Amino acid sequence: MFSLERWQEILETISKNKLRTFLTGLSVASGIFILVILLGFGQGMQNGISAEFQRDAANRISVYSGVTSMGYKGLNPGRFIEMTNDDYNYLVSKYEDDIEFKSSIYRVWSGTLNYGDESGSYRVEGVYPDYQFLENEDLVAGRYINYDDQKLKSKIMIIGNKVKQDLFGSKEAVGEYVQINGINFKVVGVYSDPGGEREETRVFVPLSTSQRVFGGSDKVRNLGFTLKPQENFQDALAQSLQFSAEIEEFLKERHLVAPEDTSAINVNNTLENAKRFYDLIGMIKTFFWVVGICTIIAGVVGVSNIMLIIVKERTKEIGIRKALGAQPLSIIGMILHESIFVTAIAGFTGLILSMALLEVLGPNMQMDYIKNPSVNFNVAITTVFILVLAGALAGFVPAWRAARIKPITALREE
Amino acid sequence: MITIKDLHKSYTMGTNSLHVLKGINFSVQEGELVSIMGSSGSGKSTLLNILGMLDEADQGSYTLDGVPIKNLNEKIAAQYRNKFLGFIFQSFNLINYKSALDNVGMPLYYQGMKRKERTDKAMAYLEKVGLANWAHHMPNELSGGQKQRVAIARALASDPKVLLADEPTGALDTKTSYEVMDLIQGINDEGKTILIVTHEDDIAHMTKRIVNLKDGLIIDDAPVNQVRAASHV
Ligand SMILES: Nc1ncnc2c1ncn2[C@@H]1O[C@H](COP(=O)(O)OP(=O)(O)OP(=O)(O)O)[C@@H](O)[C@H]1O
Ligand SMILES: [Mg+2]
């Protein structure tokens, strides 16, 4: 009875009751569809935010200086604090054992680049060789700044992919000379950055060169550090927070800034931000799961309702079948078999459609904080099974009741 | 073939109890064609449903082809219905989304017969009732008389011992009724035992024996001279 004959009977019933089949299927398919899309976007947000952090090294600590907001030790507020090479050198030697990558940065406001007929305005920064790793940059051509450049105050520069496109187009850039504010620099490298175009419109020169050529003397604008990797995230975070606090305290003391002044010395800890964002992503993902599970529950309730209606609608037919010799088990089997078959097909249809949609839309999504939404296939397939199981359970109760009613009662039903 | 003794049946609705069958005794031999008559509400259908194991008696004994029908569970009852009985209803009770052929094949499906064999056999029965050309039509494409003939073919398909018909001509006009009766007489001529519930005297006189029910008791039970339906068609 379970064999081919039952299948033929079920397929025939399904194909001759298209509307009923369609409605059952629709509620299951849409439930799965919505769940997968939600989970996909949860993942997409996680990817997007992670990508945001890949712009720079994930554990980068940046120090900015600004204007004091309060008086301290007889000094008026409104002073502009400028960090110096000494600050940097002191910190580097003091934390030598902890620091992995380090650089101070001198920024040239609005550098104008000229190459032949092409010109453009870009951010020009003087940096140390380690800056490549602080910015998470990959070289696509040539080399990065090295310590010889630093020592010799060479007039060389590294340009971003976008700058290269703008000035050189498809031509080779390495080896060419480009003017920055009228001074000739030799291009020695081209880099790319996972942060994309925005991060590739920058130009780097050796720090020493920039201080000399662009009048910075011994001033630096920013400091950037990463610390050596730790066993786990918690340790890394703790160490990073302590380091941030210590350098902040040191710099404030050195430049006579009130300890509670937040605008003059600003230490930005990526790891701390990352933790905050990952916590947020966690919450968003939990929320999506809750919504998704509610959708599934709604789907199950929908399937149960439809099963109830189907059984009610088929009561007379069940009476007829019983009069012709159908056993209670075969009635239950018939209804369950049909419901499982329909929910499974519909579930997989919803799964395939939603995954296809994510597959097509995902890589083309150009939204901030959402990148390549996708879903774990195992999770998706498990939900389909849960839904099918729930559908079967939901169908079982009315099927069992229908199988038990006396044939004469069922036959009297209109 | 059928023996019932002191059969009682009441329906309870809320606090009221309606005593419908009040001690029925009767028996039917193999090959008989019996009609059961009586006014509306006298308990004809109730009796037939109990004979068909679609309903249960409260009290009394029932033997079908030597098998005592008592305290059956639904599983055994289904087996017996399939093996021993064929039903013909006033409202045909065909499954509306199945073709005439598939409807006739239903009892065979529940016997576990394979599709091919089932279809052949169902086709043979449809031929017997003169509907071979309508095999692939849906019930809603058939006239009342045709539907009833499909139902008769279906009742015959499992080759049951007894046919039970509750007002088989109740929904048909006179001419069609006689055609159906002609078919039923033909089947009876081949030796099948048939019980028919009817309101109509002319139909009753086309059987070989009339049992009269009144208020849940048999008041009259006598053989009649069978009128051949063919002579009216
Ligand atoms: N399921 C039921 N519940 C309650 N009462 C019922 C039920 N079935 C039948 N009855 C009652 O039992 C009595 C006999 O019913 P039955 O259907 O046997 O009559 P009948 O002789 O077939 O009548 P008719 O000629 O109108 O078909 C009627 O009064 C009817 O109302
Ligand atoms: Mg009746």
Side-chain angles (χ1 to χ4, degrees):
Chain A
M1 276 294 203
F2 273 100
S3 60
L4 199 61
E5 299 296 310
R6 167 73 79 59
W7 273 107
Q8 280 170 342
E9 177 73 13
I10 299 292
L11 290 177
E12 204 173 6
T13 308
I14 289 172
S15 68
K16 298 221 169 113
N17 294 278
K18 291 199 180 67
L19 182 66
R20 175 168 93 198
T21 310
F22 176 75
L23 288 177
T24 318
L26 191 69
S27 100
V28 175
S30 57
I32 291 287
F33 186 87
I34 292 169
L35 178 83
V36 170
I37 295 291
L38 276 177
L39 294 183
F41 272 83
Q43 186 63 43
M45 289 180 90
Q46 178 165 8
N47 294 346
I49 291 173
S50 304
E52 237 2 70
F53 282 102
Q54 277 162 19
R55 278 170 45 193
D56 299 335
N59 54 347
R60 176 168 171 177
I61 295 160
S62 300
V63 185
Y64 304 88
S65 62
V67 174
T68 56
S69 62
M70 52 184 77
Y72 185 61
K73 292 193 173 167
L75 293 164
N76 285 330
R79 273 188 311 131
F80 184 68
I81 302 299
E82 282 186 297
M83 295 181 288
T84 63
N85 288 344
D86 289 346
D87 293 338
Y88 172 76
N89 293 334
Y90 173 81
L91 288 173
V92 167
S93 61
K94 178 169 180 198
Y95 294 101
E96 199 182 351
D97 293 342
D98 298 333
I99 290 173
E100 187 184 20
F101 298 117
K102 57 199 182 290
S103 177
S104 57
I105 298 108
Y106 177 77
R107 184 180 298 175
V108 181
W109 297 108
S110 78
T112 305
L113 269 64
N114 279 299
Y115 174 75
D117 293 340
E118 305 290 339
S119 74
S121 190
Y122 301 96
R123 221 162 101 185
V124 178
E125 284 152 301
V127 298
Y128 279 109
D130 278 3
Y131 200 64
Q132 178 188 357
F133 307 108
L134 291 173
E135 279 287 338
N136 234 6
E137 285 160 358
D138 283 320
L139 282 170
V140 290
R143 63 171 180 86
Y144 209 75
I145 296 164
N146 60 33
Y147 279 95
D148 282 344
D149 301 328
Q150 209 63 249
K151 222 176 345 185
L152 299 170
K153 300 190 172 68
S154 321
K155 295 206 186 70
I156 54 117
M157 64 154 116
I158 315 295
I159 59 175
N161 237 338
K162 179 73 166 70
V163 180
K164 189 244 166 203
Q165 293 298 329
D166 290 352
L167 297 182
F168 295 92
S170 56
K171 261 195 297 177
E172 188 63 48
V174 175
E176 298 295 313
Y177 284 87
V178 174
Q179 292 179 337
I180 304 178
N181 296 348
I183 298 158
N184 260 332
F185 280 75
K186 185 181 180 185
V187 177
V188 298
V190 180
Y191 72 87
S192 67
D193 190 300
E197 258 189 22
R198 181 167 47 158
E199 293 280 294
E200 290 173 358
T201 55
R202 297 160 71 181
V203 174
F204 298 108
V205 300
L207 180 81
S208 55
T209 317
S210 70
Q211 285 177 333
R212 160 116 132 238
V213 174
F214 301 108
S217 69
D218 67 339
K219 300 286 184 277
V220 296
R221 292 283 304 131
N222 308 331
L223 308 178
F225 304 101
T226 63
L227 302 180
K228 287 181 182 150
Q230 297 290 311
E231 286 281 301
N232 58 49
F233 187 82
Q234 286 310 322
D235 287 355
L237 183 64
Q239 190 206 22
S240 171
L241 288 175
Q242 189 186 347
F243 177 77
S244 305
E246 282 178 22
I247 59 176
E248 186 172 342
E249 195 189 331
F250 163 76
L251 289 170
K252 281 180 173 169
E253 208 174 292
R254 176 114 163 201
H255 291 278
L256 299 174
V257 174
E260 55 278 17
D261 190 336
T262 51
S263 64
I265 298 288
N266 196 325
V267 179
N268 191 339
N269 190 323
T270 314
L271 218 49
E272 196 186 356
N273 292 345
K275 182 175 167 5
R276 220 174 284 147
F277 267 106
Y278 284 124
D279 288 349
L280 181 67
I281 295 173
M283 271 162 60
I284 293 171
K285 282 186 108 175
T286 312
F287 174 73
F288 279 1
W289 265 109
V290 171
V291 173
I293 286 167
C294 289
T295 314
I296 291 293
I297 291 172
V300 170
V301 171
V303 172
S304 327
N305 275 336
I306 295 167
M307 286 313 294
L308 254 144
I309 294 167
I310 287 177
V311 170
K312 178 96 187 113
E313 190 184 274
R314 294 181 78 175
T315 306
K316 177 143 192 172
E317 180 196 332
I318 289 167
I320 297 171
R321 285 175 183 269
K322 283 186 142 190
L324 299 180
Q327 304 202 342
L329 255 178
S330 93
I331 298 284
I332 297 176
M334 172 179 82
I335 291 170
L336 281 193
H337 195 151
E338 187 185 318
S339 98
I340 291 173
F341 181 67
V342 172
T343 46
I345 294 283
F348 282 110
T349 308
L351 182 71
I352 289 165
L353 283 183
S354 52
M355 301 217 23
L357 189 72
L358 285 181
E359 201 62 34
V360 171
L361 278 191
N364 301 323
M365 292 280 297
Q366 288 293 350
M367 257 194 262
D368 276 348
Y369 300 109
I370 295 184
K371 190 180 168 192
N372 195 13
S374 56
V375 77
N376 183 325
F377 188 70
N378 287 336
V379 171
I381 217 155
T382 309
T383 40
V384 173
F385 276 117
I386 290 175
L387 201 61
V388 170
L389 203 72
L393 266 170
F396 181 76
V397 177
W400 184 70
R401 262 213 307 251
R404 269 175 35 120
I405 58 176
K406 275 199 284 184
I408 189 63
T409 319
L411 275 171
R412 228 177 257 130
E413 194 87 13
E414 257 333 309
Chain B
M1 178 63 61
I2 290 174
T3 313
I4 52 176
K5 289 208 179 85
D6 195 30
L7 202 72
H8 286 261
K9 175 75 182 177
S10 354
Y11 290 112
T12 36
M13 285 171 300
T15 50
N16 293 354
S17 174
L18 186 65
H19 204 169
V20 179
L21 299 181
K22 302 169 178 166
I24 305 273
N25 293 290
F26 111 125
S27 58
V28 177
Q29 306 309 312
E30 188 167 359
E32 277 199 271
L33 175 55
V34 184
S35 57
I36 301 169
M37 295 195 71
S39 56
S40 186
S42 55
K44 307 181 293 291
S45 296
T46 306
L47 176 60
L48 203 74
N49 291 335
I50 290 171
L51 293 177
M53 292 178 239
L54 297 173
D55 205 349
E56 282 163 41
D58 300 331
Q59 196 188 314
S61 75
Y62 170 23
T63 317
L64 174 62
D65 196 31
V67 180
I69 307 298
K70 211 176 163 192
N71 298 329
L72 298 182
N73 67 26
E74 193 39 57
K75 198 175 153 193
I76 309 267
Q79 258 168 30
Y80 283 5
R81 279 198 291 269
N82 187 269
K83 220 161 57 181
F84 293 144
L85 302 165
F87 295 94
I88 301 163
F89 303 93
Q90 178 175 2
S91 55
F92 323 124
N93 281 344
L94 299 176
I95 294 177
N96 57 19
Y97 63 83
K98 284 182 177 291
S99 68
L101 187 68
D102 288 342
N103 262 289
V104 176
M106 271 322 312
L108 303 174
Y109 170 75
Y110 285 115
Q111 283 182 353
M113 193 180 284
K114 293 269 172 278
R115 191 180 185 80
K116 175 83 180 67
E117 202 184 340
R118 213 161 73 208
T119 316
D120 290 350
K121 205 158 176 186
M123 198 64 197
Y125 280 103
L126 273 180
E127 250 160 54
K128 191 180 173 78
V129 300
L131 287 177
N133 291 333
W134 297 82
H136 298 289
H137 286 251
M138 291 293 160
N140 61 8
E141 298 161 353
L142 302 175
S143 72
Q146 287 172 325
K147 280 187 212 175
Q148 197 59 296
R149 281 193 280 165
V150 172
I152 291 169
R154 180 177 68 182
L156 289 173
S158 58
D159 193 21
K161 303 240 179 274
V162 178
L163 283 193
L164 300 172
D166 195 347
E167 307 200 31
T169 60
L172 307 175
D173 62 27
T174 313
K175 184 171 172 293
T176 321
S177 296
Y178 290 166
E179 284 167 7
V180 166
M181 281 314 291
D182 184 38
L183 186 60
I184 288 176
Q185 285 177 338
I187 293 160
N188 176 248
D189 291 343
E190 291 169 12
K192 191 77 72 192
T193 314
I194 305 175
L195 272 75
I196 300 175
V197 163
T198 182
H199 270 118
E200 295 147 278
D201 254 340
D202 51 347
I203 299 296
H205 279 89
M206 292 177 179
T207 65
K208 296 173 177 167
R209 171 182 165 196
I210 301 180
V211 175
N212 235 308
L213 271 185
K214 190 170 187 240
D215 292 334
L217 286 168
I218 295 178
I219 54 163
D220 193 23
D221 182 350
V224 288
N225 283 328
Q226 189 181 33
V227 178
R228 295 305 295 196
S231 61
H232 289 270
V233 186

